[in-house]
Amino acid sequence: MRWVDVERDGWESALAAVQREGVDIDPAIEDAVLAIISDVRARGDAALLELGREFDSEGLCSLAVDPAELDAAGDRLDHAVREALEHAAASIRAFHEAQLRTSWFQHADGKIVGQLIRPLERVGVYVPGGRAAYPSSVLMCAIPARVAGVREVVVCSPVAKDGSVSPAVLYAARLAGVQAVYKVGGAQAVAALAYGTATIPRVDKIVGPGNTYVCAAKRALWGVTDMDMLAGPSEVCVVADETADPRFVAADLITQAEHDPDCAAFLLTPSRSIAEQTQQEILRQLDVLPRRAIAEKSLMERGACVVTRTLDEALELANACAPEHLALLVENPFGVLDKVRNAGAVMLGHWTPQTAGDYMAGPSHTLPTGGTARFWSPLNVDTFLKKTSIIALAEGALLSAADDLIALASAEGFEGHAAAVRTRLQHDRRSDTVVDEEVCDDAD
């Protein structure tokens, strides 16, 4: 890991060490993705099958997973895995049910304003697959959508070489209330969900993580349908004081580093002793890690240890980093939580590994990366809700606002807007219509 000492190297060097670029996509990949999108839009299912045979399984002959296979998926799982998925699903559902909101209205002086809050009709979840299975991603994306009231949730995931989808993914889909699973991966899955094909329905929003091709497709099709975010490689920032256990610090850094060589891990601490012990502990833990080569490359090329002068300085660097995962391994984590401004998820205290957030705690693990926690939130119930503004004026309320409305419309050069008010003022019969404030009680 790169080593930076704020006192020796300066604040700017520390900032440079922890800040990451957003999703950066090679122009050649963008061109390839645009070609895939065009092909899927033109040829639909035929293009999907052809691309699936090229990239995933040579024997791919259908796009939809048989509902009977979905129903039987749980029987093919080890009991412990099945039970763990069920426990995770219950925690995720309970957390997101607490986020639900309803439509609201305010009324005063003959005016009603408010919002109708309605779920999206259909959502597509992209789940990476092929060489690995990610049932947790199904739960973390699909359950919040169903809790929000989304009528139809479908999943797209690439198949393994033998043409199968992991039974763990299929069982997670059943637990989450997914209506259909399609054997499609990559940019072509995003295109199919955005435009629709004979087999795959067009959706209102696409969510879920993916590789660079998936991110490029999401960026290219943003506006054709909505997207959750452009998620890049994972990252963790650990803020540790002198009370931290170097074994825990090292393990938390490795947790994200083992995902991918492009992932990043940062240790920010005012304790030189903790920094030095953690470095040694990382080497010891890497020796027995099955994914050692991946984690080692990530830590060597994209990791950094920054020794700060104070804990407050470490927290300020964490805000500048705006990490996907922020771990506070400090004596009083709740005491410093109010200083956290930018993070996707915060793990507080020595006994809260990121593993809990990734699988079981309840909040979705679909989080903003690459510093985008400065302006994006984790996937949540609101991700799947849309708001419609409601405005209703009684005659008296319009009369009270008329002069201001006409002045503003005229100032902007929109005489038609001003006329819409004047016409009502010149009407020779006062309306008997009043705004019924009781609508507020029934509008939900």
Side-chain angles (χ1 to χ4, degrees):
M1 297 174 73
R2 179 183 176 188
W3 185 288
V4 177
D5 187 313
V6 173
E7 190 166 24
R8 180 193 65 207
D9 303 314
W11 184 250
E12 292 303 317
S13 294
L15 282 174
V18 301
Q19 289 181 320
R20 296 246 283 166
E21 297 284 337
V23 177
D24 187 21
I25 300 173
D26 188 319
I29 290 178
E30 289 185 324
D31 290 344
V33 165
L34 290 175
I36 290 171
I37 291 171
S38 178
D39 190 23
V40 172
R41 190 177 186 187
R43 298 196 298 126
D45 288 353
L48 295 177
L49 286 166
E50 188 177 299
L51 290 164
R53 293 180 191 124
E54 179 181 352
F55 295 117
D56 300 321
S57 172
E58 293 179 358
L60 186 67
C61 58
S62 65
L63 297 175
V65 172
D66 190 318
E69 187 179 354
L70 274 173
D71 293 335
D75 298 333
R76 300 166 56 198
L77 289 179
D78 177 83
H79 176 74
V81 174
R82 177 172 176 158
E83 194 171 65
L85 287 172
E86 291 166 356
H87 292 164
S91 294
I92 296 163
R93 187 170 288 106
F95 175 84
H96 288 91
E97 283 173 347
Q99 296 179 339
L100 276 171
R101 296 191 290 167
T102 59
S103 302
W104 59 269
F105 295 86
Q106 295 175 344
H107 50 83
D109 301 324
K111 177 178 73 172
I112 290 178
V113 294
Q115 280 187 334
L116 289 180
I117 298 178
R118 297 290 185 259
L120 302 178
E121 285 291 311
R122 184 184 289 130
V123 164
V125 177
Y126 184 81
V127 179
R131 289 176 293 180
Y134 298 96
S136 60
S137 291
V138 180
L139 300 179
M140 294 289 186
C141 291
I143 288 177
R146 294 292 285 165
V147 169
V150 175
R151 178 179 57 83
E152 184 178 358
V153 179
V154 301
V155 165
C156 279
S157 185
V159 296
K161 288 296 182 184
D162 64 1
S164 67
V165 177
S166 160
V169 167
L170 298 181
Y171 187 59
R174 267 293 177 251
L175 288 174
V178 168
Q179 277 79 8
V181 177
Y182 300 105
K183 297 179 280 189
V184 184
Q188 56 269 31
V190 179
L193 291 168
Y195 289 115
T197 71
T199 299
I200 299 176
R202 181 179 183 179
V203 302
D204 302 312
K205 188 161 193 166
I206 301 171
V207 301
N211 62 17
T212 304
Y213 286 83
V214 170
C215 284
K218 288 172 81 171
R219 185 156 70 181
L221 291 168
W222 211 321
V224 175
T225 190
D226 194 19
M227 307 289 176
D228 53 350
M229 63 186 79
L230 297 179
S234 189
E235 66 218 3
V236 60
C237 180
V238 177
V239 173
D241 65 10
E242 65 280 355
T243 69
D245 187 323
R247 296 171 301 170
F248 296 177
V249 178
D252 282 358
L253 293 168
I254 290 171
T255 295
Q256 297 310 317
E258 75 169 344
H259 273 287
D260 187 277
D262 288 331
C263 292
F266 307 109
L267 170 58
L268 313 176
T269 178
S271 170
R272 181 178 296 278
S273 173
I274 290 295
E276 291 171 346
Q277 291 178 66
T278 298
Q279 295 270 42
Q280 293 303 311
E281 187 61 32
I282 286 173
L283 295 175
R284 188 189 70 77
Q285 292 186 24
L286 284 176
D287 273 343
V288 295
L289 190 73
R291 297 172 67 88
R292 172 178 179 168
I294 294 172
E296 195 168 49
K297 185 172 175 145
S298 167
L299 291 167
M300 287 291 294
E301 296 183 2
R302 305 187 188 279
C305 174
V306 180
V307 178
T308 61
R309 290 166 290 203
T310 63
L311 181 59
D312 281 349
E313 213 171 55
L315 291 163
E316 191 58 33
L317 280 174
N319 285 319
C321 179
E324 178 187 20
H325 304 89
L326 173 61
L328 300 180
L329 301 188
V330 298
E331 183 176 18
N332 183 12
F334 282 96
V336 301
L337 184 58
D338 65 337
K339 297 181 179 180
V340 175
R341 299 191 306 274
N342 304 320
V346 185
M347 273 60 64
L348 289 91
H350 306 293
W351 303 105
T352 312
Q354 293 150 76
T355 314
D358 280 348
Y359 296 112
M360 296 290 297
S364 176
H365 71 199
T366 302
L367 305 169
T369 63
T372 60
R374 292 179 296 113
F375 49 82
W376 267 332
S377 301
L379 183 144
N380 61 87
V381 165
D382 278 355
T383 304
F384 305 102
L385 297 176
K386 57 183 179 180
K387 290 88 175 176
T388 300
S389 298
I390 301 298
I391 304 165
L393 303 184
E395 183 179 8
L398 177 61
L399 290 173
S400 296
D403 289 346
D404 288 341
L405 292 171
I406 291 169
L408 289 171
S410 298
E412 293 191 351
F414 293 113
E415 289 305 319
H417 284 60
V421 178
R422 291 194 185 100
T423 298
R424 287 168 168 79
L425 297 181
Q426 293 164 2
H427 199 277
D428 60 5
R429 182 177 61 82
R430 290 183 63 84
S431 170
D432 292 327
T433 302
V434 292
V435 175
D436 184 359
E437 296 182 352
E438 292 184 0
V439 300
C440 298
D441 298 327
D442 303 322
D444 289 349

